[in-house]
Amino acid sequence: MLGVGFLAFATHVATLDTPQDPRKADAIIVLTGGLYRLDAGVNLLNDGKGERLLISGVNPKAGRDDLRLATGGDRKLFSCCVDIDHAALDTIGNAEESGKWMQTHHYNSVILVTNNYHMPRSLLEMRRILRGVEIQPYPVVNTNLSDGSWMTDPDALRVIATEYAKFLAALARGWTGMADGSTTANG
């Protein structure tokens, strides 16, 4: 049963695609940690797909200018419309900090940017916290694995297996009641 679940999980994340033209949302949230996530979030903000961008889980040593320079983002855009979360240390923390931010700004819809392999667990954690919020997934795909090549690529297999174990742990936390999800975006 565990093997069937892993196969379904791996196939799902390997076939996720980045949306070509996502619907406009109130906000955009980028979870740091993967290649091209920041660029994708800044591009969405530049394209008017959200009013503000939260970059969650930023290393405390990295400042606004560091992120702006890394993405080639506009100084004016970063000053007005980009918020940086240094508090989140993991995906649960990303969800908690995002919930506070969404509530502060009274947002009801969000585009969630993270890597394809990280999207299922990120959505699970975000939906626990952001009840009543429309969450639009925006998976970033660094390497196309939809042809099943993840099965023969040791690095891809390791990443997907690790993420699957974390996903199962997140599911178990929800089933056992250890994840309360008491924060809502609107109070």
Side-chain angles (χ1 to χ4, degrees):
M1 186 69 164
L2 196 59
V4 171
F6 172 72
L7 185 59
F9 178 86
T11 301
H12 172 69
V13 299
T15 57
L16 288 175
D17 287 324
T18 304
Q20 293 301 310
D21 188 25
R23 293 181 318 278
K24 186 175 185 325
D26 295 332
I28 303 157
I29 297 173
V30 174
L31 307 184
T32 59
L35 197 58
Y36 306 120
R37 294 179 192 183
L38 290 177
D39 292 331
V42 170
N43 289 339
L44 287 167
L45 185 63
N46 274 327
D47 292 345
K49 296 298 182 175
E51 294 174 17
R52 293 190 75 78
L53 166 65
L54 172 65
I55 304 171
S56 182
V58 175
N59 184 313
K61 295 178 183 175
R64 181 177 307 280
D65 281 338
D66 298 320
L67 298 175
R68 184 184 59 76
L69 290 170
T71 62
D74 179 69
R75 184 180 306 276
K76 189 174 179 180
L77 185 70
F78 262 72
S79 294
C80 80
C81 307
V82 176
D83 297 308
I84 300 170
D85 157 43
H86 291 283
L89 300 175
D90 56 20
T91 306
I92 296 168
N94 291 138
E96 291 168 347
E97 295 305 314
S98 295
K100 293 173 191 173
W101 183 78
M102 293 285 291
Q103 188 172 8
T104 297
H105 293 285
H106 307 286
Y107 290 146
N108 295 307
S109 62
V110 65
I111 298 171
L112 177 63
V113 179
T114 191
N115 285 88
N116 56 341
Y117 63 83
H118 190 232
M119 189 58 76
R121 182 165 56 100
S122 299
L123 284 171
L124 184 64
E125 300 294 0
M126 288 290 185
R127 287 180 176 143
R128 283 191 184 126
I129 301 294
L130 302 177
R131 293 185 181 169
V133 171
E134 178 191 345
I135 304 171
Q136 190 179 163
Y138 192 89
V140 174
V141 180
N142 294 336
T143 304
N144 185 345
L145 301 172
S146 62
D147 61 358
S149 60
W150 60 268
M151 290 186 254
T152 58
D153 179 341
D155 291 332
L157 190 57
R158 178 187 45 77
V159 168
I160 293 172
T162 300
E163 192 58 37
Y164 180 61
K166 291 178 180 181
F167 178 76
L168 291 178
L171 279 176
R173 245 188 353 274
W175 289 333
T176 61
M178 291 173 61
D180 72 349
S182 59
T183 303
T184 60
N186 295 317

